[in-house]
Amino acid sequence: VDGASWLYDVHVYPKNKTTYGGVTLEKKGNNTTALSGVTFVLQKQNGTEWTNVTKNEKNNSDLSLVTNPEGKINVDGLSQGTYRFIETDRGGNDGYIMDGAKTYEFVVGSDGKITYDGKTENNITITVTNEKPDMTKQVKDRKSGAWKQETDYNVGDMVPYQITIDVPSNITKLKEFTLTDTPTNLKDNIDSVVVKCGETKLTKGTDYTISKDTTDGNGFKITFNTSEMGDYARKQLVI
């Protein structure tokens, strides 16, 4: 301080530099179709709380959290910390099942690298898949009795037909799972509807309820009791 002696131990503290990271989210159906128009929320963990992230922290630009025509969301400018994606809207992708309870959590390190699902890389792609239950409708052939895509009936005839649908693997976690039939030039007899899984007949009023479709009153709507459907996950139902 007084200049009377030399200062030998000089400590230099460089100014901290923030390194930013980025991730890509890819949205697909279970048939690998890219799903566009799907909205997500991005959140960052602050202690025990999660706060929404809507800005690029590096340049303060707005983040786009809706999937593009390729089914992707690209997010950059994320500072060190723990983040998560949550799906909030499936857009116009009818028939696909949205799981809003599932989170996709990743970590941005001090070096800007991303850690997700046990892997650490400069930029990681997080793949999110939506289930879409396959469904087929077939009519009974008037002559052979076989189930076919089409056959001939006369005006006024009773037309037996069946709908086969796959039950999603996460059926018990779904808030709602319904099937609606809106026939053209036909009127459904909802009292004749039976729902089966193999040889097992589901119980009306317990496993499902059925009502007239509100569009024109000619069809029907089956509402499944998802909490009772665990035994049928990944199986097929025939209506």
Side-chain angles (χ1 to χ4, degrees):
V1 176
D2 58 8
S5 61
W6 289 97
L7 180 63
Y8 290 99
D9 298 322
V10 179
H11 299 280
V12 179
Y13 300 95
K15 185 176 181 180
N16 290 335
K17 179 182 178 182
T18 302
T19 302
Y20 298 93
V23 298
T24 298
L25 183 144
E26 186 173 23
K27 184 69 176 173
K28 294 181 177 181
N30 56 345
N31 55 359
T32 71
T33 300
L35 302 181
S36 62
V38 181
T39 303
F40 285 79
V41 64
L42 177 65
Q43 297 181 329
K44 185 175 183 179
Q45 189 174 29
N46 293 301
T48 58
E49 302 293 327
W50 291 89
T51 57
N52 290 352
V53 178
T54 60
K55 298 280 188 179
N56 181 314
E57 296 177 88
K58 187 175 182 179
N59 58 25
N60 204 41
S61 61
D62 291 333
L63 296 177
S64 175
L65 297 174
V66 180
T67 55
N68 62 22
E70 297 177 343
K72 294 182 179 181
I73 293 173
N74 298 301
V75 175
D76 292 311
L78 302 180
S79 60
Q80 183 178 353
T82 301
Y83 296 82
R84 68 183 184 185
F85 281 111
I86 303 174
E87 186 178 355
T88 59
D89 193 309
R90 59 183 169 81
N93 299 287
D94 291 340
Y96 287 95
I97 297 171
M98 188 191 83
D99 190 350
K102 190 171 183 179
T103 61
Y104 302 87
E105 191 171 306
F106 61 95
V107 177
V108 179
S110 58
D111 55 0
K113 291 186 177 182
I114 310 298
T115 300
Y116 174 74
D117 197 24
K119 296 185 294 185
T120 301
E121 298 177 8
N122 287 326
N123 191 307
I124 279 182
T125 297
I126 299 172
T127 301
V128 179
T129 303
N130 280 39
E131 288 193 57
K132 183 178 184 179
D134 287 332
M135 184 178 67
T136 58
K137 181 187 282 189
Q138 294 176 308
V139 62
K140 181 178 284 188
D141 187 83
R142 186 171 51 164
K143 296 179 180 179
S144 68
W147 294 103
K148 302 171 65 176
Q149 288 300 112
E150 59 182 40
T151 188
D152 293 325
Y153 277 86
N154 295 317
V155 174
D157 284 348
M158 181 68 72
V159 183
Y161 68 94
Q162 68 178 17
I163 301 170
T164 303
I165 187 167
D166 292 339
V167 179
S169 60
N170 61 344
I171 181 67
T172 58
K173 296 167 64 178
L174 298 182
K175 182 178 179 181
E176 183 181 59
F177 185 62
T178 63
L179 182 143
T180 302
D181 185 60
T182 53
T184 302
N185 299 324
L186 292 172
K187 185 172 184 178
D188 285 329
N189 175 12
I190 66 173
D191 293 330
S192 70
V193 175
V194 175
V195 183
K196 299 180 72 174
C197 180
E199 296 302 316
T200 302
K201 184 178 177 180
L202 276 67
T203 304
K204 182 179 177 180
T206 302
D207 297 320
Y208 69 94
T209 58
I210 185 170
S211 60
K212 286 187 177 182
D213 172 49
T214 57
T215 304
D216 56 16
N218 289 332
F220 64 82
K221 179 179 180 180
I222 295 177
T223 302
F224 293 96
N225 184 356
T226 57
S227 63
E228 299 291 329
M229 296 290 291
D231 291 341
Y232 306 108
R234 299 186 179 87
K235 296 181 182 179
Q236 284 189 330
L237 299 181
V238 178
I239 295 98

